[in-house]
Amino acid sequence: MSVNLIGSGNLATHIGITLNNNGLKINYVWSRNLENAKILAEKIKTTYTDNFTEIYNNKAIYLICVPDSEIKSIAKKINSENSILIHTSASTNISVLEKFSTNCGVFYPLQTFSKNSKLVNFKNLPVFIEYSNNNVKNILKYLCDIINAKLIIANSEKRLLIHIAAIFANNFTNHMISISNEIAGSNKIDFELFKPLIIETLDKITKINSIDIQTGPSVRNDKNTIKKHLKALKKYKDFAKIYSFVSKNIQKMHSKL
Amino acid sequence: MSVNLIGSGNLATHIGITLNNNGLKINYVWSRNLENAKILAEKIKTTYTDNFTEIYNNKAIYLICVPDSEIKSIAKKINSENSILIHTSASTNISVLEKFSTNCGVFYPLQTFSKNSKLVNFKNLPVFIEYSNNNVKNILKYLCDIINAKLIIANSEKRLLIHIAAIFANNFTNHMISISNEIAGSNKIDFELFKPLIIETLDKITKINSIDIQTGPSVRNDKNTIKKHLKALKKYKDFAKIYSFVSKNIQKMHSKL
């Protein structure tokens, strides 16, 4: 059965290239941005389009990798009766597809994808799946198998919580570094100097339970230092707010241990 | 001139062992906890005490590695007139020592130290120094040189901001991972599954500017998903607060780019 890749963004790029590298022929790349569709299609040596009527098949697997807000309108456009709809969204309920097809599923790889970074290694990467029937389950299992991903079954409710935990682990850790960078930069402190600290922090996080390795004034409940810091953050109102909240939460979490 | 190490905590342990490994003889380890003083003294083959009168010297370098709140009372106890007082605190003004000695300085290594983790590598590690006179400056330079650290001069005000940036980069990133772990754990999701995501996140953070690699619903300003997440976080009031604040700050920072 042919596979149509819907989307040309971060995930579509990584999953498309990985499937292609593992011998799966992608029939079409569709994107509302034709230029992006072309760039990805050339990478995986296939055809591309921005026109849905062109990819109408009797039966195809549609791997939908578009922003959450567009999944519904995309599903509506597909010849759903004969096709299998699979979305890749963490926080979209499978029910959004069930309105359009009895054959639908979810394929959510727990990873962060950027177009311009090196190809994500799917080997042993957890992929959370959900499906409307065993036929779709087998297709999802096949997709996981050929890319050596680790298949895990999870319903929409659980997937939502996994996504939230992933946002803290990825987007929010990343933003803490951005804030650090901003404070350093606006005070003419070379952020390169923070690299050994960041590398040591990250090395520990991956090896030791983060709760056990917390250091700093918050976990020591060093009120005097925290007060000094909040005063020094006066001109960074939002950062002061985040400092205060996160700091209190560190104290709370550790006082319960 | 002899060096007395004051403290037996995380930093005292790492700096004491590193100085000793590089041929500097530590004369005494002092700690108010005699058992901890003994453990560290045995590691660096020297004497230990919990009694200040025992370590009174005509002239010694006191490397003070104690919690910020104790620096003043420790400095008070030292025979300051003939000695050199050096504290290692990020957020303590050098003026705290200046009350007790005309020879004082600060030696602040920008790193996170835990007693039970592998020995921190001081090679090229930034050490921010401050000093009351050139004699102390030369001593601080000597200490940096023998451990191959990277000496950088910074006054107390700048050091305070460096510490705040370090807290975001270290304590707060670490806490975001703890929150992620807590959400996963309390929903029976194996946190081991998040390891590839964390490793990828951290790998990017050290190589690419964190502001350029932000992903997720906040940076996309995907209000619908954020709303779903805040609803799902209902029973985690504090986490919801942090989610909401950090999320808004991500949008704000990126809308300015």
Side-chain angles (χ1 to χ4, degrees), chain A residues 91 114 126 163 165 170-171 174-175 178 180 193 201-202 204 210 214-215 228-229 238 241 245 249 252, chain B residues 91 114 126 163 165 170-171 174-175 178 180 193 201-202 204 210 214-215 228-229 238 241 245 249 252:
Chain A
S91 289
S114 313
H163 191 204
N170 168 239
N171 305 154
N174 190 57
H175 191 59
S178 298
S180 180
L193 295 171
T201 303
L202 308 185
K204 278 189 196 167
S210 59
Q214 191 60 281
T215 59
K228 271 187 220 171
H229 289 173
D238 294 329
K241 239 180 185 176
F245 261 23
N249 197 243
K252 215 168 178 177
Chain B
S91 289
S114 313
H163 191 204
N170 168 239
N171 306 154
N174 190 57
H175 191 60
S178 298
S180 181
L193 295 172
T201 303
L202 307 185
K204 278 188 197 168
S210 59
Q214 191 58 283
T215 59
K228 272 188 219 171
H229 289 174
D238 294 329
K241 240 180 186 175
F245 261 22
N249 197 243
K252 214 168 178 179

Side-chain angles (χ1 to χ4, degrees), chain A residues 205-223:
Chain A
I205 286 175
T206 52
K207 289 181 187 149
I208 313 172
N209 189 331
S210 59
I211 298 173
D212 299 334
I213 52 163
Q214 191 60 281
T215 59
S218 312
V219 75
R220 288 195 303 268
N221 200 8
D222 177 352
K223 290 195 182 88

Side-chain angles (χ1 to χ4, degrees), chain A:
Chain A
M1 191 161 42
S2 59
V3 174
N4 294 331
L5 186 58
I6 307 303
S8 58
N10 296 334
L11 176 60
T13 300
H14 285 268
I15 190 71
I17 293 173
T18 303
L19 287 171
N20 181 65
N21 285 351
N22 286 281
L24 188 96
K25 169 81 185 145
I26 308 276
N27 224 34
Y28 266 101
V29 172
W30 174 94
S31 174
R32 61 175 177 178
N33 181 320
L34 196 64
E35 186 52 34
N36 287 344
K38 186 183 171 188
I39 291 167
L40 179 53
E42 279 173 356
K43 281 181 186 158
I44 57 178
K45 297 179 185 59
T46 191
T47 42
Y48 60 96
T49 182
D50 61 355
N51 182 353
F52 260 107
T53 57
E54 210 179 300
I55 51 173
Y56 254 48
N57 277 299
N58 280 338
K59 202 173 167 84
I61 298 166
Y62 285 80
L63 197 56
I64 305 169
C65 309
V66 299
D68 291 19
S69 57
E70 293 173 29
I71 293 173
K72 195 177 167 183
S73 68
I74 295 277
K76 209 184 255 180
K77 286 180 190 146
I78 296 170
N79 179 7
S80 306
E81 212 179 308
N82 296 312
S83 291
I84 293 160
L85 307 186
I86 297 168
H87 81 56
T88 49
S89 159
S91 289
T92 304
N93 202 297
I94 192 173
S95 62
V96 170
L97 299 180
E98 282 169 341
K99 284 172 197 147
F100 304 102
S101 172
T102 50
N103 291 302
C104 57
V106 180
F107 178 97
Y108 165 52
L110 181 55
Q111 188 50 287
T112 173
F113 299 93
S114 313
K115 263 188 189 179
N116 301 322
S117 65
K118 70 177 198 310
L119 190 64
V120 160
N121 185 1
F122 279 79
K123 199 179 170 191
N124 294 323
L125 191 75
V127 172
F128 293 91
I129 68 157
E130 192 176 6
Y131 40 83
S132 62
N133 60 50
N134 276 333
N135 178 32
V136 179
K137 181 184 179 182
N138 288 334
I139 288 166
L140 292 166
K141 191 174 173 328
Y142 173 75
L143 290 176
C144 285
D145 281 349
I146 63 167
I147 62 172
N148 291 307
K150 189 190 183 94
L151 177 146
I152 300 157
I153 298 166
N155 64 18
S156 292
E157 197 190 336
K158 195 155 204 167
R159 197 171 62 250
L160 186 70
L161 287 158
I162 292 163
H163 191 204
I164 295 170
I167 284 171
F168 277 94
N170 168 239
N171 305 154
F172 289 4
T173 53
N174 190 57
H175 191 59
M176 294 303 119
I177 300 288
S178 298
I179 292 177
S180 180
N181 196 337
E182 176 66 30
I183 294 171
S186 59
N187 289 288
K188 297 191 175 63
I189 300 155
D190 180 8
F191 198 60
E192 276 302 306
L193 295 171
F194 285 74
K195 283 284 163 75
L197 171 69
I198 295 171
I199 289 168
E200 178 79 6
T201 303
L202 308 185
D203 185 59
K204 278 189 196 167
I205 286 175
T206 52
K207 289 181 187 149
I208 313 172
N209 189 331
S210 59
I211 298 173
D212 299 334
I213 52 163
Q214 191 60 281
T215 59
S218 312
V219 75
R220 288 195 303 268
N221 200 8
D222 177 352
K223 290 195 182 88
N224 194 30
T225 301
I226 292 168
K227 218 170 127 187
K228 271 187 220 171
H229 289 173
L230 289 173
K231 201 178 156 197
L233 282 173
K234 227 175 176 178
K235 64 169 180 165
Y236 305 92
K237 267 192 178 174
D238 294 329
F239 298 167
K241 239 180 185 176
I242 293 172
Y243 182 108
S244 178
F245 261 23
V246 176
S247 193
K248 272 180 202 154
N249 197 243
I250 291 175
Q251 286 159 43
K252 215 168 178 177
M253 192 184 275
H254 285 264
S255 68
K256 280 182 195 159
L257 293 182

Side-chain angles (χ1 to χ4, degrees), chain B residues 44-62:
Chain B
I44 58 178
K45 296 178 187 59
T46 192
T47 42
Y48 60 96
T49 183
D50 60 355
N51 182 354
F52 261 107
T53 58
E54 209 178 302
I55 51 173
Y56 253 48
N57 276 299
N58 282 337
K59 201 174 170 83
I61 298 166
Y62 285 79

Side-chain angles (χ1 to χ4, degrees), chain B:
Chain B
M1 191 160 41
S2 60
V3 173
N4 295 330
L5 185 59
I6 307 303
S8 58
N10 295 333
L11 177 59
T13 300
H14 284 269
I15 189 72
I17 292 173
T18 303
L19 287 171
N20 181 64
N21 284 352
N22 286 283
L24 187 97
K25 168 81 186 144
I26 308 278
N27 224 34
Y28 266 102
V29 172
W30 175 94
S31 174
R32 61 173 178 180
N33 180 319
L34 196 63
E35 185 52 33
N36 286 345
K38 186 183 172 191
I39 291 167
L40 179 53
E42 279 174 355
K43 281 181 187 159
I44 58 178
K45 296 178 187 59
T46 192
T47 42
Y48 60 96
T49 183
D50 60 355
N51 182 354
F52 261 107
T53 58
E54 209 178 302
I55 51 173
Y56 253 48
N57 276 299
N58 282 337
K59 201 174 170 83
I61 298 166
Y62 285 79
L63 197 56
I64 305 171
C65 309
V66 299
D68 291 19
S69 57
E70 294 172 29
I71 293 173
K72 196 178 166 182
S73 68
I74 294 278
K76 209 183 257 180
K77 285 179 191 148
I78 296 170
N79 178 7
S80 306
E81 211 179 308
N82 295 313
S83 290
I84 293 159
L85 307 186
I86 296 168
H87 81 56
T88 49
S89 159
S91 289
T92 304
N93 201 296
I94 192 173
S95 62
V96 171
L97 299 180
E98 282 169 341
K99 284 172 198 147
F100 304 102
S101 172
T102 50
N103 291 303
C104 57
V106 180
F107 178 98
Y108 165 51
L110 181 56
Q111 189 49 288
T112 174
F113 299 93
S114 313
K115 262 189 191 180
N116 300 321
S117 65
K118 70 177 198 310
L119 190 64
V120 160
N121 186 0
F122 279 80
K123 197 176 171 195
N124 294 323
L125 192 74
V127 172
F128 293 91
I129 68 156
E130 193 176 4
Y131 39 84
S132 62
N133 59 49
N134 277 333
N135 178 31
V136 179
K137 182 185 179 180
N138 288 334
I139 288 165
L140 292 167
K141 192 175 171 328
Y142 173 75
L143 290 176
C144 285
D145 280 351
I146 62 167
I147 62 172
N148 291 307
K150 188 189 184 92
L151 177 145
I152 300 157
I153 298 166
N155 64 18
S156 292
E157 198 191 335
K158 195 154 204 167
R159 198 171 62 250
L160 186 70
L161 287 158
I162 292 164
H163 191 204
I164 296 170
I167 284 171
F168 277 95
N170 168 239
N171 306 154
F172 289 3
T173 53
N174 190 57
H175 191 60
M176 294 302 120
I177 300 288
S178 298
I179 293 176
S180 181
N181 196 336
E182 175 66 29
I183 294 171
S186 58
N187 289 288
K188 296 191 176 62
I189 301 156
D190 180 8
F191 198 60
E192 276 301 307
L193 295 172
F194 286 74
K195 284 282 164 75
L197 171 68
I198 294 171
I199 290 169
E200 178 78 7
T201 303
L202 307 185
D203 185 59
K204 278 188 197 168
I205 286 175
T206 52
K207 289 180 186 149
I208 313 171
N209 189 332
S210 59
I211 298 173
D212 299 334
I213 52 163
Q214 191 58 283
T215 59
S218 311
V219 75
R220 287 195 303 270
N221 200 8
D222 176 352
K223 289 195 181 86
N224 195 30
T225 301
I226 292 168
K227 218 170 128 186
K228 272 188 219 171
H229 289 174
L230 289 173
K231 202 178 155 195
L233 282 172
K234 228 177 176 175
K235 64 169 181 165
Y236 305 91
K237 268 192 177 175
D238 294 329
F239 298 167
K241 240 180 186 175
I242 293 172
Y243 182 108
S244 179
F245 261 22
V246 176
S247 193
K248 271 179 202 155
N249 197 243
I250 291 174
Q251 287 159 42
K252 214 168 178 179
M253 193 184 274
H254 285 265
S255 68
K256 280 182 196 157
L257 293 181

